[in-house]
Amino acid sequence: MLTMTKKTTSTPHHHGNLREALINAGLELLETGGAQALTLRKCAALAGVSHAAPANHFNGLVSLKVAIMARGHLLFAETMRQASSQAESCPRTQLIAICEGYIRFARTHKTLFNLMFQFDCIDLEGVDDASKNEKRKAGEESYGILKKACLPFEHNGGNSLNTETMVWSLVHGYAMLFANEGASKRAIPSFSEILPNLPLK
Amino acid sequence: MLTMTKKTTSTPHHHGNLREALINAGLELLETGGAQALTLRKCAALAGVSHAAPANHFNGLVSLKVAIMARGHLLFAETMRQASSQAESCPRTQLIAICEGYIRFARTHKTLFNLMFQFDCIDLEGVDDASKNEKRKAGEESYGILKKACLPFEHNGGNSLNTETMVWSLVHGYAMLFANEGASKRAIPSFSEILPNLPLK
DNA sequence: AAATAAAATTGACAGTGTCAATATAGAGAC
DNA sequence: GTCTCTATATTGACACTGTCAATTTTATTT
């Protein structure tokens, strides 16, 4: 008898889907224990496997981190999409809402946000292609939301790249510098107060 | 006989000035080997002492890192001061020069810059008071340069805090996002192109 | 010169990432 | 159904890390 339509994407061998489980474990450790709690061995333990099991799915800790960064960008994009959908359609209102989503994500997921936008970029030598591709794709998705919201505007000579770059720099710097509880000593202006008046196209 | 005028700030015991040497070693390791090369044991080895010697000067690795952040802010301030002194006195020219110094520092000292502006703030519980104070003071010094350059301008209702916050966010985000060689694929606008036109007071 | 405090050393311990060797489960071929 | 073979997971080891306790060395003070 032909066992037709047998699952081609069958759950692998022992665990089921360890790669996914390790990413989720990493996210959880990051949220609860901070950056230094993100450990290959802790992820493995949280997923219920031995300490060396992750090696079958990630070429070392860095590859897992890159996969987590990718996952973070998906959550990031979702936060901005949600903010956009709850705001009115006026271009400036939309842009502000998305930026506030940006900032809220940074505030809510400090450690993940920091990992995602690490400045001294992770050396991608030796990182899994899967993780790298996921990160690139998810990064483009999240950036695309901001980019789209900049399209109605014009800034410095009609080059839309100028607007994108200005807005992205502004919101990213604001999120980095002020989306921390520690900075609450000073009365920081809201983002809408520092966003320059952008003329519509 | 009175041994008057004996050095009150005498060089301590064995090493001479191990605290300073450890900070310098940390800076060097950071520049040459990246973030993960900054290790208590490597610093100790580079300073020529045993692996546990740093404990006499820093309450753990985090305290050393905070001291290194402080030192970084001094270099940061120096870079911006130099940029300022080499530019003409026109307010906007001054501001742009200082911001370009900001960006140049980020580009030149990627890992140090990242450490200095780590988003998920280092837990300062248990950090040496000396390191904490150094960092606060040096941070105020570097920020003061930018702040001063914002004074001639007015933005959104005469509140100078708005101008500072806008400019700082903008330059910091720009430095974070684009002061990396990896981002050179796209043609990024220069900073002066994205700095909005700020009316003078 | 003796006593005291500061600084550095040594040794140990629990974690960490990573590698090699081994065991095991599932997939496909017959 | 059985047999291979590959993917996956385990175990054990290694070097390296931060940190602690005990000890020794050095400098200052009395």
Side-chain angles (χ1 to χ4, degrees):
Chain A
M1 182 178 76
L2 292 177
T3 60
M4 54 185 299
T5 68
K6 201 174 190 178
K7 283 196 297 181
T8 56
T9 62
S10 63
T11 59
H13 305 263
H14 297 75
H15 178 95
N17 195 353
L18 184 53
R19 187 173 191 277
E20 201 70 6
L22 288 169
I23 295 174
N24 290 332
L27 279 170
E28 185 176 334
L29 287 166
L30 217 47
E31 303 277 329
T32 61
Q36 73 176 17
L38 177 52
T39 281
L40 263 183
R41 289 172 110 105
K42 289 207 186 88
C43 288
L46 203 52
V49 294
S50 76
H51 68 264
N56 291 297
H57 301 272
F58 296 102
N59 183 17
L61 175 63
V62 181
S63 290
L64 172 58
K65 281 187 177 173
V66 172
I68 290 173
M69 291 162 78
R71 179 66 56 88
H73 270 288
L74 295 184
L75 302 171
F76 188 37
E78 181 55 32
T79 302
M80 287 190 284
R81 258 195 302 269
Q82 180 188 333
S84 168
S85 72
Q86 291 174 351
E88 295 184 8
S89 65
C90 153
R92 185 175 171 94
T93 305
Q94 275 290 312
L95 182 58
I96 288 176
I98 286 170
C99 287
E100 284 172 350
Y102 196 115
I103 293 158
R104 176 154 39 89
F105 180 87
R107 217 184 293 269
T108 314
H109 305 95
K110 290 192 182 60
T111 320
L112 177 58
F113 186 78
N114 193 56
L115 178 67
M116 286 161 57
F117 289 100
Q118 209 137 15
F119 177 69
D120 57 332
C121 264
I122 291 182
D123 183 17
L124 292 179
E125 275 298 309
V127 170
D128 298 332
D129 286 344
S131 297
K132 270 191 290 195
N133 290 334
E134 283 174 12
K135 172 169 176 280
R136 182 183 42 73
K137 191 176 165 188
E140 285 169 4
E141 178 179 336
S142 64
Y143 179 59
I145 297 171
L146 193 61
K147 181 175 180 165
K148 191 176 168 191
C150 290
L151 280 182
F153 301 100
E154 182 164 307
H155 182 61
N156 260 10
N159 188 346
S160 72
L161 185 57
N162 284 358
T163 310
E164 291 170 28
T165 305
M166 193 276 278
V167 172
W168 196 15
S169 296
L170 191 66
V171 66
H172 189 73
Y174 186 89
M176 272 275 164
L177 293 170
F178 305 114
N180 245 340
E181 77 289 355
S184 61
K185 295 176 183 175
R186 298 172 37 188
I188 304 298
S190 70
F191 182 77
S192 63
E193 288 177 289
I194 66 162
L195 180 66
N197 214 326
L198 295 168
L200 289 169
K201 265 182 185 164
Chain B
M1 182 178 74
L2 291 177
T3 58
M4 57 185 298
T5 67
K6 201 173 189 179
K7 282 197 301 182
T8 55
T9 61
S10 63
T11 58
H13 306 262
H14 297 74
H15 177 95
N17 196 352
L18 184 52
R19 187 173 192 277
E20 200 70 6
L22 289 169
I23 295 174
N24 290 332
L27 279 170
E28 185 176 333
L29 287 166
L30 217 47
E31 303 277 329
T32 62
Q36 74 176 17
L38 177 51
T39 282
L40 263 183
R41 289 172 109 105
K42 289 207 186 91
C43 289
L46 203 51
V49 294
S50 76
H51 68 264
N56 291 296
H57 301 271
F58 296 102
N59 183 17
L61 175 63
V62 180
S63 290
L64 172 57
K65 281 187 177 174
V66 173
I68 291 173
M69 292 163 78
R71 178 66 57 87
H73 270 288
L74 295 183
L75 302 172
F76 188 38
E78 181 54 32
T79 301
M80 288 190 284
R81 258 195 303 268
Q82 180 189 332
S84 168
S85 72
Q86 291 175 351
E88 296 184 6
S89 65
C90 153
R92 185 175 170 94
T93 306
Q94 275 290 312
L95 183 57
I96 288 176
I98 286 171
C99 287
E100 284 172 350
Y102 196 115
I103 293 158
R104 176 153 40 89
F105 181 87
R107 217 185 293 269
T108 314
H109 304 96
K110 290 191 182 64
T111 320
L112 177 58
F113 186 77
N114 193 57
L115 178 67
M116 285 161 56
F117 289 101
Q118 208 137 16
F119 177 69
D120 57 333
C121 264
I122 290 181
D123 183 18
L124 292 179
E125 275 298 309
V127 170
D128 298 333
D129 286 343
S131 297
K132 269 191 290 195
N133 290 335
E134 283 174 12
K135 172 168 176 280
R136 181 183 42 73
K137 192 176 164 188
E140 285 169 3
E141 178 180 336
S142 64
Y143 180 59
I145 297 171
L146 193 61
K147 179 175 180 165
K148 191 177 167 192
C150 290
L151 281 182
F153 302 100
E154 182 164 306
H155 182 61
N156 260 10
N159 188 347
S160 71
L161 185 58
N162 284 358
T163 310
E164 292 169 28
T165 305
M166 193 277 277
V167 171
W168 196 15
S169 296
L170 191 66
V171 66
H172 189 73
Y174 186 89
M176 272 275 165
L177 294 170
F178 305 113
N180 245 340
E181 78 289 355
S184 62
K185 295 176 183 175
R186 298 172 36 187
I188 304 298
S190 70
F191 182 78
S192 63
E193 287 178 289
I194 66 162
L195 180 66
N197 214 325
L198 295 168
L200 290 169
K201 264 182 185 162

